[in-house]
Amino acid sequence: MPTQHNMSHLPFGDHKNAPWYGKDILSVKQFGRENLEYIFAVSHEMHDMVDHIGTFDLLKGKILANLFYEPSTRTSSSFTAAMERLGGSVIPINDVKYSSVAKGENLADTVRTLECYADVIVIRHPEVGSAAIAAKAARKPVINAGDGIGEHPTQALLDAFTIREELGHLDGLTITLLGDLKHGRTVHSLARLLSLYKVKLNYVAPDILRMPAELIEELKAKKIEQTEYSGLETCLPQTDVLYVTRVQKERFTDEAVYESVKGAFVIDPKVLKAAKERMIVMHPLPRVGEITMEVDDDPRAAYFRQMEYGLYVRMALLAMVLGKA
Ligand code: ASP
Ligand code: CP
């Protein structure tokens, strides 16, 4: 009986003194292990609530402005779904070319405008640091949904949640990040977030797309074991999580250079023969050929489940910054 679901045991209600109330989410650097445990617990409850009652009124009357300067399917629609599942509503600016940005309005003014109408702003923008600029201009919470090659913190949170749900824990795992590690904001955020745990990180990339040296140094200072490879052969058999990424075409200035690396790694059933039986394959998506569709039926293919987990994590984050969790 959906409407009789008992919410009394849940950590929901008015939490105006809660640490995340009114806060921006700009980088994974803001989170510690205890925050992650809390986010995972709330996300888990959100999953349960969606399964049992679908939509409920935790954020009734609240409004989210979804401001996207770059294309998106998952992030944009899962934030919309998250807000609507919680009883709130959304101002969708999914293509800024139909907004006054096309007339030359700057980021700060755009954000100041939206916060007159909304309680929280989600922003994706091609420039590193843009979410921080937006947050500085706004009094309302701003959530970074991807700032150029910088960070994609809500993706990293849902990635960590996925690993937890699928494998039960993060400590002790070997995680192999594959593909465009230079431009991939998801791997930049995820590697940083994983450094809160006792993990081994492998980086597999074409030479021109290697993990940025500063990020490697940052994690080295945290005593994270990191190894770079030019191919998967040596590290795949030890891997618990294979995190595949798309070569980020939109970050290349020379199309010929993109063409030379775009097909560098393709995961197909033959490649996965060398992988453990208990491991998962993840991908932030969209994929454009780096995982073949034949892999989809393999129980280790977790990438579609991963994007569903994103809904629950974003519901948790919205409830937190709006003082309801
Ligand atoms: N959707 C992810 C991002 O926006 C990954 C990708 O586009 O390849 O960063
Ligand atoms: N993972 C991700 O950010 O997907 P979109 O680019 O479709 O939002």
Side-chain angles (χ1 to χ4, degrees):
M1 293 294 279
T3 48
Q4 287 174 1
H5 193 71
N6 181 7
M7 288 171 73
S8 60
H9 67 294
L10 300 175
F12 302 145
D14 275 309
H15 293 275
K16 296 265 155 47
N17 297 322
W20 293 95
Y21 173 59
K23 292 273 163 36
D24 304 308
I25 297 177
L26 302 178
S27 161
V28 291
K29 290 180 189 163
Q30 293 170 245
F31 298 98
R33 253 181 104 124
E34 66 295 346
N35 302 132
L36 263 73
E37 288 310 313
Y38 182 72
I39 294 168
F40 294 161
V42 178
S43 304
H44 202 88
E45 296 290 355
M46 292 297 186
H47 188 171
D48 215 37
M49 293 292 280
V50 171
D51 280 354
H52 285 90
I53 57 173
T55 296
F56 48 108
D57 280 346
L58 193 67
L59 296 183
K60 190 176 161 76
K62 297 289 181 190
I63 299 176
L64 157 73
N66 235 359
L67 176 61
F68 280 70
Y69 288 76
E70 279 192 334
S72 168
T73 300
R74 274 147 293 271
T75 312
S76 160
S77 51
S78 64
F79 266 115
T80 299
M83 198 61 185
E84 293 187 355
R85 291 250 175 230
L86 292 168
S89 53
V90 181
I91 300 171
I93 304 196
N94 292 328
D95 189 341
V96 288
K97 74 171 179 284
Y98 298 112
S99 75
S100 283
V101 171
K103 303 177 200 168
E105 188 157 49
N106 67 35
L107 179 57
D109 288 0
T110 301
V111 163
R112 278 188 205 117
T113 307
L114 290 172
E115 73 172 349
C116 297
Y117 316 130
D119 301 289
V120 53
I121 298 169
V122 169
I123 179 169
R124 170 172 290 184
H125 192 284
E127 278 157 40
V128 176
S130 51
I133 291 171
K136 207 161 168 224
R139 288 166 291 117
K140 305 267 174 78
V142 169
I143 301 179
N144 181 3
D147 61 331
I149 66 166
E151 282 222 32
H152 193 345
T154 67
Q155 177 75 43
L157 292 167
L158 80 87
D159 291 341
F161 182 64
T162 301
I163 298 171
R164 231 320 256 279
E165 294 291 288
E166 296 274 324
L167 298 176
H169 59 100
L170 286 120
D171 282 324
L173 296 180
T174 297
I175 294 152
T176 299
L177 306 178
L178 171 86
D180 188 347
L181 307 186
K182 178 181 178 192
H183 305 112
R185 55 193 172 201
T186 70
V187 283
H188 299 164
S189 286
L190 182 58
R192 282 197 180 104
L193 200 64
L194 290 172
S195 72
L196 295 172
Y197 296 87
K198 292 185 188 69
V199 293
K200 278 190 199 163
L201 297 181
N202 296 322
Y203 304 139
V204 184
D207 199 43
I208 59 165
L209 300 180
R210 286 165 60 188
M211 191 60 107
E214 316 83 74
L215 205 144
I216 295 182
E217 283 307 312
E218 191 183 315
L219 269 54
K220 209 166 157 189
K222 293 183 167 177
K223 311 245 179 313
I224 297 296
E225 193 178 324
Q226 305 168 86
T227 316
E228 291 191 88
Y229 296 93
S230 54
L232 257 183
E233 302 73 26
T234 330
C235 59
L236 186 58
Q238 282 82 45
T239 294
D240 299 299
V241 177
L242 175 62
Y243 191 97
V244 185
T245 63
R246 172 180 72 91
V247 177
Q248 308 277 294
K249 184 176 185 191
E250 64 275 35
R251 311 293 176 212
F252 285 74
T253 44
D254 184 343
E255 179 129 13
V257 178
Y258 166 73
E259 290 294 330
S260 73
V261 285
K262 71 167 191 203
F265 298 103
V266 176
I267 306 302
D268 61 15
K270 215 167 126 227
V271 172
L272 284 183
K273 279 206 172 108
K276 289 183 182 180
E277 217 165 285
R278 182 164 156 74
M279 58 85 72
I280 52 171
V281 181
M282 296 176 65
H283 192 309
L285 301 174
R287 64 174 159 185
V288 286
E290 50 298 325
I291 301 178
T292 67
M293 287 173 78
E294 293 84 69
V295 176
D296 299 355
D297 294 330
D298 189 314
R300 295 171 293 185
Y303 34 90
F304 296 137
R305 299 190 291 274
Q306 179 185 355
M307 62 184 175
E308 184 188 329
Y309 292 130
L311 170 67
Y312 312 127
V313 171
R314 290 179 173 131
M315 288 172 78
L317 296 173
L318 289 174
M320 284 164 60
V321 301
L322 292 171
K324 290 287 183 180

